[in-house]
Amino acid sequence: MNGRTGMRRSAAAGTLRAGTRRGRTRGRAVVALALCAALAWGLPPTAEAAADGTPVVRLSAKEAGKGGSLTVTGRGWRSGALLTLLICGQNMIGGSNSCANADGRAVTTDAHGAFRRKLPVAEPPKPCPCVVHVATVTGAAAVADVPFTVAGHPVAPLPREATAGRLAVLAPPRLTGSSGLLTWFGAPAQRELTLTVGNLGTTPARDPVFRVGTSHGVFAPQWEEQQWRGTVPAGKRARITLPVELPAGAHGDYLVSLAYGARTLVEQPWGVGRPWGVTLFWVLLCVVIPTAVFRTGMALVDRIRPHWPDRSAAHAAGRPPGARTKDRTNRMNRTNRTNRTAHDGSTDGPGTPGDSGGLPWFSPDTAPSTTTSTERPTSKGSA
């Protein structure tokens, strides 16, 4: 009896321990499932990564109404990059014209390529399905779109492509060309957008009409339709070159966009230098004009101011022709009298009877010469 009782007790104890272990395992599994469900429920949506290194964007909510806000976070972007955050309708197949540009926000990534920014919820000009569009403004182009629902905003099917063929970009675009001397003085900068496209549709694309747009900063691009002469057969590729021109005096960071139908094919950044020739022209103008005005004013002042005549010249001009010669002769006579007085020791003043040179009734031209005699010389041998 005692042996059987012990065996029963041992079997019961083993069964109890096994049940306890199974209960613990089940509890751990339930806790793990609950934790995964909580993480999956609270995990915000992310942008689908097409390749390694593709930027990722997350939203704090899947749906919000107008007037609310959501937090947009991202990682994997270029460090120090300037990004724009927009809410766009129709999955942004029509470009930034389908986005709420006035309520967009800008953010700069940190040193690790991450960012966090609050974005107000606004109704885009196009109906949903909507996305939160994040794109770089400068540098290499990078884009990420995350689905988002604007509560109360109308929903409509996506428009069908009215163009023949379905073109896609097969190679990165390039802006070719260079600026000339006139561009340095403010002339419009011109380039050529070159890219390789392929027709993924079943019908050929004959003389396709593209829309080329240029935008500066966070502003919407200004579109211009350009027709490419040629045909892209179905399943084939073609090299397309389209001209791009900016307004006169444009400078800074621009973004060139190319759209076909309702889709934006490429976005290529374009950095335009400042037209320093215009600055040099204005600097020279500010220097030359004041100098010319100053010289003109001085010439006018010199012309209209009164000129006072020279007194010595006027006095000399009013005297008779022989006055200068007579004055010079008088000065010479006074000098001679002074010298004779000093030699003879005479203190008589001018005009004394002993001074023959000062006789008033003789002039220098009529005074008798000391070497002249009125006596006739005697002939030789006369008495």
Side-chain angles (χ1 to χ4, degrees), residues 44 56-61 68-75 77 81-87 101-110 113-121 132-135 148 218:
V56 177
V57 176
R58 297 180 180 179
L59 306 180
S60 61
S69 63
L70 70 153
T71 303
V72 184
T73 57
R75 58 183 176 83
W77 297 84
L82 179 62
L83 310 177
T84 56
L85 286 67
L86 299 171
I87 297 179
N101 298 302
D103 297 298
R105 292 293 183 268
V107 65
T108 303
T109 59
D110 57 15
F115 71 90
R116 182 183 181 88
R117 189 75 161 88
K118 279 192 174 183
L119 179 65
V121 178
V132 173
H133 177 74
V134 182
F148 180 73
V218 297

Side-chain angles (χ1 to χ4, degrees), residues 24-367:
R24 291 177 179 175
T25 304
R26 290 178 182 176
R28 292 174 181 174
V30 170
V31 171
L33 290 175
L35 182 58
C36 292
L39 291 176
W41 178 262
L43 185 65
T46 61
E48 184 179 358
D52 294 338
T54 301
V56 177
V57 176
R58 297 180 180 179
L59 306 180
S60 61
K62 297 180 180 180
E63 181 178 353
K66 180 182 178 181
S69 63
L70 70 153
T71 303
V72 184
T73 57
R75 58 183 176 83
W77 297 84
R78 189 176 67 255
S79 60
L82 179 62
L83 310 177
T84 56
L85 286 67
L86 299 171
I87 297 179
C88 307
Q90 291 184 345
N91 287 345
M92 203 191 170
I93 60 176
S96 58
N97 290 335
S98 59
C99 303
N101 298 302
D103 297 298
R105 292 293 183 268
V107 65
T108 303
T109 59
D110 57 15
H112 303 285
F115 71 90
R116 182 183 181 88
R117 189 75 161 88
K118 279 192 174 183
L119 179 65
V121 178
E123 294 185 351
K126 301 294 183 179
C128 286
C130 301
V131 295
V132 173
H133 177 74
V134 182
T136 56
V137 178
T138 58
V143 180
D145 294 331
V146 182
F148 180 73
T149 302
V150 180
H153 193 61
V155 181
L158 296 177
R160 295 182 179 180
E161 295 184 2
T163 57
R166 192 159 60 93
L167 300 182
V169 179
L170 304 180
R174 294 184 300 107
L175 284 173
T176 59
S178 60
S179 301
L181 181 61
L182 295 180
T183 305
W184 200 66
F185 285 94
Q190 297 178 352
R191 293 290 188 275
E192 288 185 348
L193 181 64
T194 304
L195 69 159
T196 302
V197 298
N199 189 356
L200 306 181
T202 58
T203 58
R206 295 183 176 87
D207 298 335
V209 178
F210 296 93
R211 291 186 302 131
V212 180
T214 56
S215 60
H216 183 59
V218 297
F219 296 99
Q222 302 293 328
W223 297 100
E224 179 184 359
E225 291 188 353
Q226 295 187 15
Q227 187 175 17
W228 180 73
R229 297 294 180 180
T231 302
V232 184
K236 301 296 182 178
R237 64 176 62 188
R239 187 182 182 87
I240 295 177
T241 301
L242 299 173
V244 183
E245 182 176 339
L246 295 179
H251 62 277
D253 296 324
Y254 281 80
L255 187 66
V256 180
S257 304
L258 180 67
Y260 179 68
R263 295 176 59 249
T264 300
L265 299 181
V266 295
E267 290 181 340
Q268 180 69 17
W270 182 8
V272 184
R274 183 180 294 273
W276 292 108
V278 179
T279 305
L280 179 62
F281 170 77
W282 284 110
V283 170
L284 293 178
L285 195 64
C286 293
V287 172
V288 171
I289 288 182
T291 304
V293 171
F294 175 76
R295 292 178 65 88
T296 304
M298 294 302 296
L300 292 176
V301 170
D302 186 64
R303 181 179 292 258
I304 65 177
R305 70 177 181 179
H307 293 275
W308 300 103
D310 189 2
R311 294 182 178 180
S312 59
H315 180 70
R319 302 180 66 182
R324 295 185 181 180
T325 305
K326 188 174 182 179
D327 291 343
R328 188 180 302 109
T329 304
N330 293 336
R331 286 196 299 271
M332 293 176 63
N333 292 335
R334 286 195 296 271
T335 303
N336 294 332
R337 287 197 301 269
T338 304
N339 294 335
R340 284 196 300 270
T341 302
H343 183 268
D344 299 338
S346 175
T347 57
D348 295 338
T352 57
D355 189 2
S356 62
L359 296 178
W361 52 85
F362 289 112
S363 63
D365 298 333
T366 59

